[in-house]
Amino acid sequence: MNLDKLLYLLQLASPALPIGAYSYSEGLEILVEQGVICNESQLQEWMEQSLSYGSVRLEAAIALRAIHATIKGDRQALNDWNDWSTATKETSELRAASWQMGRSLSRLLMDIQPQIADIFQACKRDCNYSIAYGIAAAYWEIPPDAAIVAYLQSWATNLMTAGVKLIPLGQTTGQQLLLNLHPTLLRVTPEILTLADEELSSFSWGLSLASMAHETQYTRLFRS
């Protein structure tokens, strides 16, 4: 990947991207309150299991399909995968988070790259974040393998940051956790790249239950 594409990728996956990712903990807040996750090792195990079997793996696979559909100019596929992504959200919080981040990313991209607006019109309903990410990666000609590993790394960085605040953990511990996740990220990325459509699934009932419980949590720092 040349430096031009690398710069696009770094911007797209940056924690500084103003799409509100920092405001979501994906159920981690209630898990910490309930004592399910209390330290670095428990958080790392949760993240490793999520990457291996959970919904983030599914979302990355949908982002990959959005990349391919955008490259082919297949607007119907973009809309279909967007609807499919919405249908797979198991709680209102997870769906709202995906829609909000998708709207924020699409509006940001249309503000800084007005030419991309026409592509986003393919999504006839609220654009999910994975779809918006895939459109951006394809438009900026970022290689799919790099786009997907960056998607997963961005997710991991956000969840690590939430864990640092909630458990709490030190910043050095948080960075060590991300480093420890490298083997998992490098293992699951090629798996996601080769998943057939009929193999798309996730095993994330723990996330679903945590998300439902978070909806009624009395004191919250995060929106999910």
Side-chain angles (χ1 to χ4, degrees):
M1 182 169 59
N2 61 41
L3 292 180
D4 179 46
K5 306 309 177 191
L6 177 59
L7 287 174
Y8 281 125
L9 178 60
L10 291 173
Q11 184 170 359
L12 181 60
S14 171
L17 202 67
I19 59 174
Y22 65 88
S23 63
Y24 300 105
S25 78
E26 295 195 20
L28 183 60
E29 187 167 25
I30 191 67
L31 294 172
V32 172
E33 180 178 285
Q34 293 175 344
V36 176
I37 295 178
C38 304
N39 53 47
E40 175 194 2
S41 61
Q42 290 173 339
L43 178 58
Q44 180 175 327
E45 182 180 7
W46 177 267
M47 294 172 71
E48 287 176 344
Q49 295 298 311
S50 297
L51 288 164
S52 298
Y53 309 108
S55 62
V56 65
R57 177 188 180 94
L58 183 61
E59 291 299 310
I62 295 171
L64 178 65
R65 280 150 179 80
I67 291 173
H68 293 321
T70 303
I71 292 172
K72 294 176 182 177
D74 191 341
R75 296 188 173 209
Q76 186 60 51
L78 274 174
N79 184 61
D80 290 347
W81 282 115
N82 187 53
D83 287 346
W84 198 90
S85 179
T86 297
T88 60
K89 302 297 185 295
E90 296 169 302
T91 70
S92 60
E93 276 200 353
L94 295 174
R95 184 173 59 250
S98 182
W99 282 349
Q100 181 272 306
M101 290 173 60
R103 284 194 302 269
S104 296
L105 180 56
S106 59
R107 288 171 182 168
L108 173 66
L109 290 169
M110 287 187 285
D111 284 343
I112 63 177
Q113 299 261 244
Q115 311 93 308
I116 206 173
D118 185 58
I119 304 175
F120 279 105
Q121 291 178 1
C123 297
K124 299 174 184 178
R125 300 175 182 83
D126 287 285
C127 184
N128 286 281
Y129 172 64
S130 57
I131 298 295
Y133 181 96
I135 290 173
Y139 185 80
W140 283 339
E141 299 180 350
I142 298 169
D145 57 344
I148 296 308
V149 75
Y151 184 96
L152 299 174
Q153 171 72 7
S154 179
W155 170 87
T157 300
N158 182 63
L159 207 60
M160 176 277 291
T161 302
V164 166
K165 296 175 181 176
L166 290 166
I167 293 175
L169 302 172
Q171 296 291 341
T172 301
T173 300
Q175 292 302 312
Q176 181 64 59
L177 188 155
L178 283 180
L179 192 63
N180 293 345
L181 286 176
H182 282 189
T184 303
L185 291 167
L186 293 174
R187 174 177 58 81
V188 302
T189 297
E191 295 174 359
I192 293 169
L193 291 170
T194 57
L195 282 174
D197 291 350
E198 60 270 19
E199 295 176 310
L200 296 184
S201 63
S202 67
F203 186 70
S204 55
W205 56 267
L207 170 61
S208 302
L209 292 173
S211 180
M212 286 187 282
H214 186 266
E215 291 178 357
T216 57
Q217 187 174 353
Y218 182 71
T219 303
R220 304 190 304 179
L221 297 176
F222 293 86
R223 295 175 64 183
S224 77

